[in-house]
Amino acid sequence: MGQDTATIVEMGLRDGLQNEPTPVPAALRAEWFNALADSGLNRIEAGSFVSPKWVPQMADTDQVLAQIRRREGLSVEVLVPNSKGLNGALQAGADVVSVFTAASESFNQRNINCSIAESIERFRPVVEQAKTAGKKVRAYISCVVGCPYEGRIEPGQVAMVSEQLIALGADELSLGDTIGVARPREIHALLDAILPSLPVSQLGLHCHDTRGQAIANIYASLERGIRTFDSAVAGLGGCPYAKGATGNVATEDVLYLLEGEGIATGIDLPAVARLGQQICTTLKRPNPSRTGRALTSQ
Ligand code: HMG
Ligand code: MG
């Protein structure tokens, strides 16, 4: 049997920076992208093509893509909410485009100003056009366990939205615990509802670490065969439409867990930790990654 492997989809430059109060210039975002890629990360979300009125931090994502170094095997990924965003992504040469909706109606209204059903209809031409252009399509589902406005979300509701997105042509789903309320038992219940109808290889877990449960949740999903995890260098992140939500689980912490489980990623953990510390210093914010702090403190 070959070695067990997992894939990290790096979120720091999108989910992370979209929630930083001070916009980071495109040139610096590109520099950080290159450093992340040099540490062995092969899937990096570089930004989003959304309305700059809604998320000013993600303006100039086209300039980020224009300045990054490409290499064989490196997947440059971006978030798009509609056809306008897709056109920007295609022009900038993204490899993967990601659409996003939620398992909660109220969250969707606040995040993308439409219902779940409307979002799926809006994605139909986006997915079709992306596929025709030879791009992979990822679809995020927010609030898979809890919603800041509706409370608990039923696993069956997430399963229904998941099936609709796969039927639309999405190659992969990212299940988002947007506000970091999930615990392992709830992750198991969620996967109980989804795994009978969808292959585990098409699923990823996107944890925010608001209540410190992200690593436990990732461990639970590892037991169920999930091998794709979204995380952000130095735990950067949050969501402007989920008040109180803190960043994504730190890439450094996930790498430390996976290393201990004998699961290979090809990523240089000390290099990511050094970069995470450097980014925190530049942004004048504390470094929430325990592993990052442990590896970089003298
Ligand atoms: P809307 O106002 O309903 O849309 O916004 P609209 O079509 O009426 O357009 C309004 C204006 O935006 C127009 O400009 C459009 O041209 C422009 P105006 O005529 O007023 O000057 N516009 C755009 N500009 C640039 N790029 C575009 C684009 N589309 C329209 N693609 C819309 C609807 C979806 C555009 C808006 O709600 C939006 O951009 N929302 C962004 C939401 C967002 O980025 N949220 C954060 C990411 S999701 C997340 O973090 C969760 C995740 O991490 C998973 C998890 O944790 O759960 C993925
Ligand atoms: Mg997120």
Side-chain angles (χ1 to χ4, degrees):
M1 231 176 78
Q3 188 176 12
D4 196 354
T5 61
T7 301
I8 299 277
V9 187
E10 171 57 42
M11 291 288 125
L13 301 176
R14 197 278 303 169
D15 207 343
L17 296 186
Q18 77 182 11
N19 207 36
E20 286 297 325
T22 320
V24 178
L28 187 52
R29 283 146 69 190
E31 200 178 295
W32 289 345
F33 181 102
N34 291 333
L36 289 163
D38 288 347
S39 75
L41 281 152
N42 278 331
R43 293 187 62 180
I44 306 175
E45 207 164 65
S48 61
F49 288 88
V50 299
S51 162
K53 284 184 197 145
W54 286 63
V55 189
Q57 294 92 330
M58 290 292 104
D60 306 330
T61 290
D62 56 336
Q63 288 173 40
V64 176
L65 267 70
Q67 293 175 58
I68 58 178
R69 282 193 302 275
R70 313 272 178 152
R71 65 165 159 76
E72 190 65 34
L74 174 64
S75 174
V76 180
E77 315 201 357
V78 297
L79 204 67
V80 303
N82 52 22
S83 297
K84 187 178 169 86
L86 176 70
N87 291 335
L90 293 179
Q91 264 172 27
D95 300 305
V96 173
V97 293
S98 301
V99 293
F100 52 109
T101 186
S104 147
E105 290 289 357
S106 339
F107 184 84
N108 234 24
Q109 286 293 351
R110 285 170 175 85
N111 193 28
I112 50 175
N113 206 16
C114 65
S115 69
I116 300 173
E118 281 165 349
S119 72
I120 305 256
E121 280 318 304
R122 193 185 277 178
F123 297 156
R124 199 175 294 283
V126 176
V127 174
E128 222 172 81
Q129 201 191 332
K131 292 277 183 152
T132 306
K135 306 299 175 186
K136 281 222 162 99
V137 176
R138 167 173 241 237
Y140 288 95
I141 306 177
S142 289
C143 303
V144 294
V145 169
C147 164
Y149 316 107
E150 291 183 17
R152 197 184 144 71
I153 299 292
E154 283 308 314
Q157 165 78 2
V158 187
M160 199 177 70
V161 177
S162 300
E163 284 164 31
Q164 288 176 10
L165 290 166
I166 292 288
L168 208 63
D171 298 290
E172 179 181 85
L173 301 181
S174 171
L175 303 170
D177 179 20
T178 315
I179 52 169
V181 287
R183 285 158 290 191
R185 192 177 287 260
E186 286 141 340
I187 294 295
H188 280 298
L190 174 68
L191 294 175
D192 283 343
I194 296 179
L195 286 176
S197 51
L198 294 179
V200 73
S201 59
Q202 285 188 300
L203 299 174
L205 192 66
H206 176 107
C207 292
H208 286 258
D209 204 19
T210 318
R211 290 167 181 76
Q213 305 293 302
I215 288 294
N217 291 334
I218 289 172
Y219 187 79
S221 77
L222 275 172
E223 292 184 310
R224 304 298 294 273
I226 302 276
R227 290 294 182 273
T228 301
F229 303 104
D230 297 358
S231 62
V233 60
L236 298 174
C239 177
Y241 305 102
K243 228 179 164 33
T246 57
N248 289 113
V249 62
T251 302
E252 297 89 317
D253 297 353
V254 180
L255 288 174
Y256 188 70
L257 170 73
L258 295 173
E259 201 176 284
E261 291 300 303
I263 299 174
T265 61
I267 301 162
D268 179 348
L269 168 55
V272 177
R274 283 192 299 275
L275 178 64
Q277 192 49 54
Q278 186 196 318
I279 291 174
C280 288
T281 305
T282 305
L283 295 177
K284 298 186 175 61
R285 75 196 300 282
N287 184 349
S289 169
R290 301 268 187 94
T291 300
R293 291 204 304 266
L295 291 181
T296 55
S297 62
Q298 307 301 320

